[in-house]
Amino acid sequence: MPHRLPTPFELVDFFARATRGGPRPLPIADTAPDPGLFGPGTVTWAVMKEPVLILGGGRALLMQAAHPLIAQGAIDHSTYATDPFGRLDRTLVWVVSVTFGTRREARAATREVNRLHAAVSGTLPGPHATAPVPAGAAYTATDPELLLWVHATFVDTMLATHDAFVGTLADTERDTFVREWHAVARLMGVPARRLWHNAGELRAYVSEQTESGPVQPGPGSRRVAETVVHPPLPSPWLRPPWEAVAFATVGLLPATVRRGYGFPWTAAHEATHGALRLGLRRMRTVLPERLRSSPVHDFAQARVAGRLAAPPRVPSPATTRRRRSEAA
């Protein structure tokens, strides 16, 4: 846990850079005036434009890994331990593509994820077994139940993070957000009949899975969590701010999941996290609009409004030869 609580801006700025540093190209580039899966006026764009939501990334990963089979899939097939920031970066590219990209970009990004998932399968070894999930239990990344849990963790995490650090959504907007993300669930292969009609149904599902279902962290889950919370960093100077990020992440978890991971959490921790939440909410009210809206949201708004010039077309070799001949 952090020795000094950083300012809210320090937290957001640090996590947004994810140790990569410096400005980077946007992960979406299509200039066609296509609203994509959501578009202006949707609750999704209003929620996901908030830069502070990046602080929920670790929470989503920990919620997913709390399921022993998903944790085992990460251990067996993922680079989470050797390249945690690369994996985070690829996840963020997918999130941006499906949220703010055109439909072409959303479908392309999801096809790539589904292609990688098609090769992921295995069984749970004895040392990582839990009471609800015994040794030898089989997993595949295309299992509808596991896909449903992964989808739930993302939607639930975005709402939880927005509630904690922004806090402006009405109950009807939460319900709409849940339903809007059905479009992404369909692309990922989540059975439509299992999806939720509102945020209350989603919360009930998450509570059922974590309190009496299979989502109870085991040894494999805690192994993955160690890297999420304490990843290898390129410099020891980055450790204090990352510990602050980890503190923000752990504080967003449901109490049952936090206990399952063995994270210490006292009344003092809760009070400090409450101060962080309040500080971020207050900071947002005084920031200029350009700092309260993600660049990818601004790009998408300009794209839909037709304010982006299409990239220059590269002439074919035949056209180039013809033009040279005419010039001669």
Side-chain angles (χ1 to χ4, degrees), residues 5-264:
L5 187 65
T7 67
F9 185 79
E10 287 175 330
L11 260 183
V12 177
D13 182 65
F14 177 77
F15 204 154
R17 290 178 180 275
T19 76
R20 297 283 182 169
R24 303 176 57 212
L26 295 180
I28 54 176
D30 194 342
T31 58
D34 173 13
L37 299 181
F38 304 105
T42 60
V43 178
T44 290
W45 274 26
V47 168
M48 301 296 287
K49 75 174 185 178
E50 299 283 347
V52 74
L53 257 67
I54 200 169
L55 289 174
R59 196 257 196 193
L61 293 176
L62 290 174
M63 291 292 285
Q64 292 171 20
H67 195 304
L69 294 182
I70 293 177
Q72 194 61 44
I75 292 169
D76 293 343
H77 298 276
S78 171
T79 59
Y80 84 94
T82 57
D83 185 25
F85 292 108
R87 184 176 185 275
L88 174 63
D89 193 57
R90 291 186 291 275
T91 300
L92 291 176
V93 167
W94 174 81
V95 171
V96 168
S97 298
V98 299
T99 304
F100 294 113
T102 61
R103 280 168 289 189
R104 181 186 66 82
E105 289 175 316
R107 287 193 294 264
T110 306
R111 277 198 303 269
E112 177 62 15
V113 172
N114 290 340
R115 183 187 69 81
L116 294 173
H117 282 177
V120 174
S121 63
T123 57
L124 189 69
H128 292 172
T130 63
V133 187
Y139 70 83
T140 69
T142 57
D143 183 326
E145 292 300 320
L146 298 184
L147 286 173
L148 183 68
W149 176 245
V150 169
H151 182 70
T153 61
F154 182 82
V155 178
D156 178 66
T157 289
M158 293 302 99
L159 288 175
T161 307
H162 194 279
D163 287 345
F165 299 139
V166 181
T168 58
L169 287 181
D171 288 343
T172 54
E173 291 173 315
R174 291 186 183 85
D175 294 343
T176 300
F177 183 84
V178 169
R179 290 191 295 270
E180 286 177 352
W181 275 79
H182 289 184
V184 178
R186 286 193 292 270
L187 289 181
M188 297 298 296
V190 179
R193 67 183 184 280
R194 298 296 311 279
L195 295 172
W196 318 276
H197 297 93
N198 53 58
E201 290 182 4
L202 171 61
R203 284 193 299 271
Y205 167 78
V206 171
S207 295
E208 176 190 12
Q209 294 295 299
T210 57
E211 292 173 10
S212 58
V215 184
Q216 299 178 29
S221 304
R222 288 186 280 275
R223 176 175 162 183
V224 173
E226 178 63 24
T227 298
V228 174
V229 177
H230 302 294
L233 296 172
S235 168
W237 294 100
L238 294 174
R239 181 57 60 188
W242 189 267
E243 296 253 339
V245 169
F247 174 73
T249 295
V250 171
L252 291 172
L253 290 171
T256 52
V257 175
R258 196 162 50 223
R259 287 194 298 269
Y261 275 121
F263 294 129

